[in-house]
Amino acid sequence: MRVLIVNTSERAGGAAVAASRLLEALNNNGVKAKMLVRDKQTDNLCVVQHPQQRRLRWAFLWERIVIWIRLYLRRKRLFEIDIANCGADITRLPEFQEANVIHLHWVNQGMLSLKQIRKILDTGKPVIWTMHDIWPATAICHLTLDCKRFEEQCDACRLSNSLATKVWRRKQQMLEGKHMTFVACSEWLAGEARKSALLKGQTIVSIPNPIDTHVFRPGDRQAARKALGLPEDGKMILFVSQRATNPYKGMQYLIEACGKSHLGDAFVAILGGHAEELESRLPLKSYALGYVNDEQRIVQVYQAANVFVLPSLSENLPNTIMEAMACGVPCLGFNIGGIPEEIEHLKTGYVAAYRDAEDLAHGLHWILEEADYDTLSNACLHHVAACYSQQSVAKRYIEVYENQYCHHHL
């Protein structure tokens, strides 16, 4: 079986990381998989850059201009929505033509338009779409947060009623008379997707992202800290985000929790862009590690930590929690999205009440001062091996491919 994975980027962002890991998992388990991207960052021969990469970047710019104008020149939430009004045709590429199954992932920012996704469906090839957020089931939004009507026509959208409704209708036209399988990375997201009138009649399943446990694994904590220039003594609280100042990642709650947790020998390490902007705001000694894309160095950061905290306000199934647990690090997060599916409360970490800094502080203290740490760490390793290994995830995806392939050839 030949599978073509389509994602905007090869490495930048959580969806890209997940798609790249799935590419490796499939190729390690008997599937001939390739990945088509706009932005190629490695020399992986299985990853192909779209020949019109420059045009796709201009398409992204044009989409932002259209959104900016339709939002009455307001910048607020400019990069939190997508309308998929432009992109490039991939159906003529040899990688597309030789594939038995087309597997879409995160295809926004000018990679594919709704019209081009329809063209892909019209070729008759089986199409799988992995949802890394709720956008495929809404009109324009990647995050629903407190929105109660995302599953309809987003006519309650405060930004641009007419824009949301217009894109919703285009998505309806894209799917009209066609069938594909939507894969959510968490049971929570699958449940949200099933509420959407847009996906009525489509197949929706839940399969987590895979992780390579030969790369993300426990290591010598003191050696890792020495290599990173971090204190070798004291308990390290780790926060990771592609952009550390992203308000939806909840740093404000971690700041408050650190002030309430009474951890005298603890310090905070922040991995991500703009991390230096947060150092002075934390009540504990903190270290900005900046943005890192070297995988081995990222593994060292996890190995150096005693606890990983992700107080996100909206999440699907964060790769960062999976990575931390694969390194034997207990995790702490809010009871939102797929986080409680990853963190088994009081077994692999602590699930705090949503937006509750007091409970977050209690979770920090429980993991670092009260729990049997070695038991927590071993439970993390067992959970990752059982649920997120390359082999187990690849097997589930292969079943989806075969079912969709058979459905299209009845």
Side-chain angles (χ1 to χ4, degrees):
M1 178 177 290
R2 295 178 182 271
V3 175
L4 180 64
I5 293 172
V6 184
N7 198 77
T8 302
S9 172
E10 179 186 2
R11 297 297 300 173
V17 170
S20 294
R21 289 175 180 171
L22 179 61
L23 174 72
E24 182 181 4
L26 292 172
N27 282 320
N28 288 340
N29 285 273
V31 174
K32 295 180 179 179
K34 290 184 178 181
M35 185 171 170
L36 176 67
V37 299
R38 183 192 71 186
D39 303 326
K40 180 176 166 68
Q41 284 99 3
T42 74
D43 57 359
N44 189 338
L45 296 177
C46 292
V47 180
V48 180
Q49 186 171 51
H50 196 286
Q52 295 179 321
Q53 186 239 18
R54 184 171 295 180
R55 179 186 170 188
L56 296 184
R57 287 192 168 276
W58 279 109
F60 174 44
L61 178 60
W62 173 244
E63 182 189 44
R64 293 305 106 180
I65 291 172
V66 171
I67 293 172
W68 190 44
I69 293 172
R70 293 297 296 271
L71 300 184
Y72 309 106
L73 308 185
R74 289 178 292 177
R75 294 182 62 185
K76 184 180 180 182
R77 293 186 66 190
L78 179 60
F79 290 91
E80 295 172 17
I81 65 175
D82 277 291
I83 59 176
N85 63 334
C86 48
D89 183 8
I90 70 170
T91 60
R92 297 182 182 181
L93 300 178
E95 292 80 14
F96 181 93
Q97 294 176 355
E98 70 184 15
N100 303 113
V101 175
I102 308 302
H103 190 163
L104 307 181
H105 281 255
W106 203 86
V107 292
N108 297 110
Q109 297 189 350
M111 182 66 187
L112 292 179
S113 69
L114 299 177
K115 185 181 293 186
Q116 285 145 4
I117 294 174
R118 176 66 189 206
K119 189 171 183 179
I120 291 169
L121 291 167
D122 284 339
T123 66
K125 288 182 181 284
V127 179
I128 314 297
W129 194 345
T130 290
M131 301 173 60
H132 294 280
D133 56 41
I134 198 65
W135 187 81
T138 68
I140 59 177
C141 298
H142 287 280
L143 301 176
T144 57
L145 294 177
D146 297 325
C147 177
K148 303 301 182 185
R149 302 192 64 184
F150 75 90
E151 71 274 13
E152 298 174 12
Q153 292 187 26
C154 289
D155 56 358
C157 182
R158 296 186 299 274
L159 292 174
S160 177
N161 211 8
S162 59
L163 179 62
T165 300
K166 188 173 184 178
V167 176
W168 177 273
R169 289 172 181 165
R170 285 178 178 171
K171 284 188 173 181
Q172 285 181 316
Q173 293 168 359
M174 175 190 76
L175 293 169
E176 187 177 2
K178 298 296 180 180
H179 178 271
M180 72 170 95
T181 297
F182 289 84
V183 179
C185 298
S186 67
E187 292 291 347
W188 167 80
L189 186 61
E192 294 294 282
R194 292 185 185 106
K195 298 176 186 176
S196 173
L198 188 65
L199 303 189
K200 187 177 181 180
Q202 304 292 335
T203 300
I204 301 170
V205 300
S206 173
I207 302 176
N209 297 324
I211 190 169
D212 188 346
T213 52
H214 293 99
V215 175
F216 289 87
R217 55 190 175 83
D220 186 301
R221 181 174 293 129
Q222 258 54 50
R225 290 189 185 182
K226 188 174 182 180
L228 295 166
L230 294 170
E232 294 183 40
D233 296 323
K235 293 171 181 175
M236 175 174 149
I237 300 166
L238 176 62
F239 175 88
V240 177
S241 175
Q242 185 177 10
R243 179 168 61 89
T245 53
N246 182 345
Y248 296 124
K249 294 300 179 180
M251 172 53 86
Q252 64 271 28
Y253 292 95
L254 178 57
I255 292 170
E256 188 177 348
C258 286
K260 297 173 178 288
S261 56
H262 308 294
L263 300 168
D265 66 340
F267 65 93
V268 179
I270 308 166
L271 180 65
H274 304 277
E276 67 283 353
E277 298 176 24
L278 299 169
E279 279 185 291
S280 62
R281 295 175 55 193
L282 282 148
L284 299 177
K285 181 67 177 175
S286 61
Y287 298 84
L289 302 178
Y291 180 79
V292 176
N293 57 14
D294 177 72
E295 192 170 60
Q296 288 302 323
R297 190 166 177 83
I298 293 171
V299 171
Q300 280 186 324
V301 174
Y302 285 118
Q303 291 173 342
N306 295 93
V307 61
F308 174 68
V309 186
L310 187 64
S312 290
L313 306 186
S314 179
E315 281 291 352
N316 180 11
L317 197 78
N319 291 323
T320 50
I321 289 178
M322 192 184 302
E323 291 164 356
M325 289 200 299
C327 295
V329 180
C331 297
L332 169 62
F334 284 141
N335 187 11
I336 188 67
I339 287 178
E341 296 173 38
E342 286 185 289
I343 304 174
E344 295 179 285
H345 187 52
L346 304 183
K347 292 182 179 179
T348 62
Y350 191 96
V351 180
Y354 187 52
R355 294 180 184 255
D356 189 336
E358 191 80 41
D359 199 23
L360 201 68
H362 179 72
L364 268 176
H365 193 274
W366 182 81
I367 291 172
L368 296 177
E369 301 292 342
E370 302 172 42
D372 183 324
Y373 190 86
D374 289 341
T375 300
L376 278 180
S377 181
N378 289 330
C380 288
L381 299 176
H382 177 77
H383 183 64
V384 169
C387 301
Y388 309 130
S389 70
Q390 283 192 348
Q391 186 176 13
S392 64
V393 173
K395 181 180 178 181
R396 293 175 67 179
Y397 264 113
I398 290 169
E399 290 175 0
V400 171
Y401 296 152
E402 290 174 344
N403 288 340
Q404 189 77 343
Y405 189 80
C406 292
H407 177 86
H408 277 71
H409 288 82
L410 288 177

